[in-house]
Amino acid sequence: MKRMILTAVLSVLVLGICGCGQDTGKGQLVPERMRTATDRHAVIEQASNKEVDIIENMSMHRRAYRQNLEALIKYYNNTGNNLKFEWAQKELSALDAIPQYNYIIEASLAGPELRGTEEIPEADDLYYQAQVMENNARKLILYTSSEKLRLALDKYNQIIRQYPTSDKIDDAAYQAAKIYEGFRDYSIALIYYQRTYQWDPETIYPARYKAARVLDDNLHRRAEALELYQQSLKYDALNSGQREYIQERVAELTSSAPAN
């Protein structure tokens, strides 16, 4: 029996260790205030038709489920059936407690070929709104509002989705990448850092460096990290600390690389 218990404990620990590098998905959670939006998935028609069909079908049934629960609550309240009124309320509360995800990752969907060359006032306004939301999320020293960060993410992604020729798409991608990284959604953050320098090869942001750090520190894809570190030294606007770190890390990774 002791051996069985010890084995079970070790198994749980191993699973915990193996899962620590996975994305949390927190950055893709739908913000609370947007959960009941009826047109939230109307903007994803560019994705593969099959995926869109599944997502839209799920959203349609989810909305119908909610609407019928709300209708039941109203009916039981009007008829004075307190027992069933409480049941329906509990079921609606349980529905609200279930996490809802944005299954479309905008930067991945957009692809690496975009070039933002136009000054578009609507995109600029969205970027300003996102910046305000992000700053408000971090106002308190000891507390950051995840909800406001998700709302900021939605604005950044809206720029990418609706204004793909805007000169703000690389800015939006970089700011979104930092939020995703903060949520520990590392593979998603990597995509957005990559899109930053793919969409603007002369970007003012050290996006190659940040992508290399995610590959190196979090995803443990060291060969790719080494290549990006070297590109960062060549193309990124780095501060002295970043440049020194890259040089040291390149030396370490180069010396540990297997000989051909």
Side-chain angles (χ1 to χ4, degrees), residues 219-236:
L219 301 180
H220 311 299
R221 289 153 57 180
R222 301 281 161 57
E224 295 172 71
L226 174 59
E227 183 178 352
L228 263 184
Y229 279 136
Q230 292 168 331
Q231 290 181 22
S232 178
L233 285 173
K234 187 175 181 180
Y235 298 110
D236 281 348

Side-chain angles (χ1 to χ4, degrees), residues 6-41:
L6 179 59
T7 302
V9 171
L10 288 174
S11 298
V12 170
L13 289 173
V14 168
L15 285 172
I17 292 169
C18 292
C20 66
Q22 297 176 354
D23 285 16
T24 65
K26 291 180 180 178
Q28 287 297 100
L29 284 170
V30 176
E32 293 290 336
R33 72 176 67 173
M34 297 178 62
R35 285 188 168 203
T36 58
T38 58
D39 60 348
R40 183 161 56 83
H41 293 297

Side-chain angles (χ1 to χ4, degrees), residues 42 77 111 149 152 161 192 197 207 230 233:
N77 185 49
L149 286 179
R161 180 175 65 243
Y192 280 77
Y197 60 81
Q230 292 168 331
L233 285 173

Side-chain angles (χ1 to χ4, degrees), residues 61-78:
H61 286 292
R62 182 188 283 149
R63 288 194 297 271
Y65 180 26
R66 170 180 289 279
Q67 289 165 0
N68 280 289
L69 273 175
E70 290 171 343
L72 269 180
I73 290 170
K74 184 177 181 180
Y75 174 79
Y76 290 137
N77 185 49
N78 291 338

Side-chain angles (χ1 to χ4, degrees), residues 23-253:
D23 285 16
T24 65
K26 291 180 180 178
Q28 287 297 100
L29 284 170
V30 176
E32 293 290 336
R33 72 176 67 173
M34 297 178 62
R35 285 188 168 203
T36 58
T38 58
D39 60 348
R40 183 161 56 83
H41 293 297
V43 292
I44 57 175
E45 64 275 3
Q46 298 175 43
S48 66
N49 290 333
K50 184 174 182 180
E51 184 177 12
V52 168
D53 288 344
I54 294 171
I55 292 172
E56 289 185 343
N57 192 43
M58 177 189 67
S59 299
M60 178 185 67
H61 286 292
R62 182 188 283 149
R63 288 194 297 271
Y65 180 26
R66 170 180 289 279
Q67 289 165 0
N68 280 289
L69 273 175
E70 290 171 343
L72 269 180
I73 290 170
K74 184 177 181 180
Y75 174 79
Y76 290 137
N77 185 49
N78 291 338
T79 58
N81 193 327
N82 292 330
L83 177 63
K84 293 183 179 180
F85 173 77
E86 290 180 4
W87 289 352
Q89 277 195 318
K90 286 180 181 178
E91 189 166 347
L92 183 59
S93 296
L95 178 62
D96 288 335
I98 297 172
Q100 295 181 22
Y101 291 92
N102 286 314
Y103 290 93
I104 300 299
I105 299 172
E106 298 293 347
S108 178
L109 178 62
E113 304 301 327
L114 296 185
R115 291 295 180 270
T117 57
E118 296 182 61
E119 187 174 332
I120 303 175
E122 293 83 358
D124 295 346
D125 288 343
L126 279 172
Y127 187 77
Y128 173 75
Q129 293 171 29
Q131 292 274 276
V132 170
M133 287 179 182
E134 187 174 353
N135 290 335
N136 287 338
R138 307 182 194 277
K139 265 188 175 180
L140 299 179
I141 297 175
L142 299 178
Y143 173 76
T144 298
S145 171
S146 296
E147 176 72 2
K148 289 179 179 177
L149 286 179
R150 292 187 188 102
L151 289 169
L153 272 176
D154 184 71
K155 295 293 184 184
Y156 290 133
N157 279 314
Q158 192 176 345
I159 294 168
I160 295 168
R161 180 175 65 243
Q162 294 185 351
Y163 304 103
T165 60
S166 165
D167 58 8
K168 285 292 187 292
I169 57 172
D170 62 305
D171 304 85
Y174 187 79
Q175 301 304 330
K178 292 194 298 179
I179 296 176
Y180 281 120
E181 187 176 3
F183 278 128
R184 292 183 295 164
D185 288 325
Y186 298 120
S187 63
I188 300 176
L190 174 63
I191 294 171
Y192 280 77
Y193 282 132
Q194 289 172 328
R195 292 294 184 261
T196 303
Y197 60 81
Q198 288 168 345
W199 292 343
D200 182 3
E202 298 180 359
T203 179
I204 61 172
Y205 303 108
R208 297 172 184 84
Y209 166 72
K210 296 287 285 185
R213 289 296 302 264
V214 170
L215 284 165
D216 192 5
D217 300 341
N218 307 116
L219 301 180
H220 311 299
R221 289 153 57 180
R222 301 281 161 57
E224 295 172 71
L226 174 59
E227 183 178 352
L228 263 184
Y229 279 136
Q230 292 168 331
Q231 290 181 22
S232 178
L233 285 173
K234 187 175 181 180
Y235 298 110
D236 281 348
L238 302 167
N239 60 42
S240 58
Q242 291 168 337
R243 186 169 294 278
E244 182 178 347
Y245 177 86
I246 292 175
Q247 290 169 338
E248 291 177 358
R249 194 66 184 124
V250 166
E252 292 169 355
L253 291 173

